[in-house]
Amino acid sequence: MSIITEYPSWFILLCLLAGAVYSGALYLRDRFNRTYGTPLAILLGFLRFSGVAVLAFFLLKPLIRTLNLETQKPLLVVAIDNSQSLAMSADSSAYRNGQFKNELDQLIAQFGDEYEVRTYHFGSKVSEGIDSLSFDEKLTDMSNLTEDLYSRLSGRNLGAVIVASDGLYNKGSNPVYAFKKLNVPVYSIALGDTTVRKDILIAEVANNRLAYLGNKFPVEITIQGKKAKGEKSTLTLSKQGTTLYN
């Protein structure tokens, strides 16, 4: 703790001088005419000196500055995917019977002494805590998770993010780029079934971001097939129920 003023420190000497001059003028000048003894005069002079010096010091507009040091543990975020895709695999009993939750609690307990652990679960939205995992979310938006963490923890000492997910997202931007906004290490825990299943999907759609009314513009659609050799499929591009291309 320290005391600071708006004026130079040597002004405090002027405050002491003012108190000394004021008390001396009142009590030393009348030392031959006073009716009370010298000890009382000294006491009264000291009190007058102190009072005037303090009042003069207050005119310097003093401030008390204190410095408090508080050690905070770095934040560690553990985010769990709460979407249906985790529980759709053939071997999903570990998620349903609580085994996964227990193993997750054991993992979090290992960081408790060195980190302040914050837990979240996400799907279409982000919620704090992992006690209400249901694995029934139909959407997985990892970019929303990034934005939510950035909004909640911006300015805090965020050390790392651990994401437990199967990596399947069907809303928002690519998490590989979205998590860069946090500017912290991101560690992943791979969940779900890693078996490649038969599937045909639209991997990417590229088109002009700006098109004028009446003008034609190209659309590039990338189709991806998994274990679909020899299969036939139809892609239809329509507008308000009218087929434009198939």
Side-chain angles (χ1 to χ4, degrees):
M1 182 177 68
S2 61
I3 299 177
I4 59 176
T5 66
E6 295 183 358
Y7 300 89
S9 301
W10 60 268
F11 271 50
I12 298 177
L13 297 176
L14 296 180
C15 298
L16 298 175
L17 179 61
V21 171
Y22 196 84
S23 61
L26 289 177
Y27 295 100
L28 294 180
R29 183 183 60 183
D30 297 336
R31 63 184 182 276
F32 299 110
N33 299 326
R34 56 177 174 245
T35 57
Y36 47 86
T38 300
L40 182 59
I42 295 175
L43 176 61
L44 293 176
F46 177 75
L47 293 178
R48 185 63 61 108
F49 162 77
S50 302
V52 173
V54 169
L55 290 176
F57 178 69
F58 284 158
L59 294 177
L60 301 182
K61 299 180 180 179
L63 296 174
I64 298 177
R65 180 173 61 184
T66 60
L67 179 63
N68 297 323
L69 297 178
E70 181 181 354
T71 303
Q72 293 184 344
K73 296 180 180 180
L75 287 175
L76 175 65
V77 170
V78 180
I80 312 302
D81 189 348
N82 194 40
S83 62
Q84 290 181 350
S85 59
L86 282 177
M88 290 177 62
S89 60
D91 186 12
S92 61
S93 59
Y95 303 106
R96 298 297 187 185
N97 62 18
Q99 177 183 345
F100 169 70
K101 173 65 168 51
N102 295 334
E103 294 176 351
L104 193 61
D105 290 336
Q106 295 176 9
L107 174 65
I108 294 174
Q110 297 178 11
F111 299 103
D113 296 334
E114 299 181 5
Y115 297 89
E116 179 185 346
V117 182
R118 298 283 186 89
T119 57
Y120 300 90
H121 63 274
F122 65 94
S124 58
K125 60 181 181 179
V126 181
S127 301
E128 192 166 357
I130 58 174
D131 293 331
S132 58
L133 292 176
S134 57
F135 304 107
D136 59 357
E137 295 271 358
K138 295 183 178 180
L139 296 176
T140 302
D141 188 352
M142 292 190 182
S143 60
N144 184 42
L145 171 65
T146 304
E147 293 295 334
D148 191 273
L149 293 180
Y150 184 82
S151 176
R152 295 180 189 232
L153 306 177
S154 179
R156 298 291 304 276
N157 184 21
L158 181 60
V161 176
I162 299 176
V163 180
S165 173
D166 57 5
L168 302 176
Y169 66 96
N170 51 11
K171 184 180 180 183
S173 59
N174 191 323
V176 173
Y177 305 104
F179 277 108
K180 290 183 178 181
K181 184 176 183 178
L182 297 177
N183 197 28
V184 297
V186 179
Y187 302 95
S188 59
I189 300 177
L191 302 178
D193 190 358
T194 59
T195 303
V196 178
R197 299 184 179 277
K198 184 178 180 179
D199 191 16
I200 298 178
L201 56 94
I202 299 176
E204 185 179 3
V205 177
N207 61 279
N208 295 350
R209 301 191 59 167
L210 178 64
Y212 294 100
L213 182 65
N215 289 2
K216 294 183 179 181
F217 60 93
V219 177
E220 182 178 311
I221 303 174
T222 303
I223 307 299
Q224 182 178 351
K226 298 180 181 180
K227 301 182 69 174
K229 184 177 181 180
E231 297 290 336
K232 294 183 179 180
S233 61
T234 301
L235 170 69
T236 301
L237 181 63
S238 61
K239 176 183 177 181
Q240 297 179 349
T242 301
T243 300
L244 303 178
Y245 173 84
N246 59 26

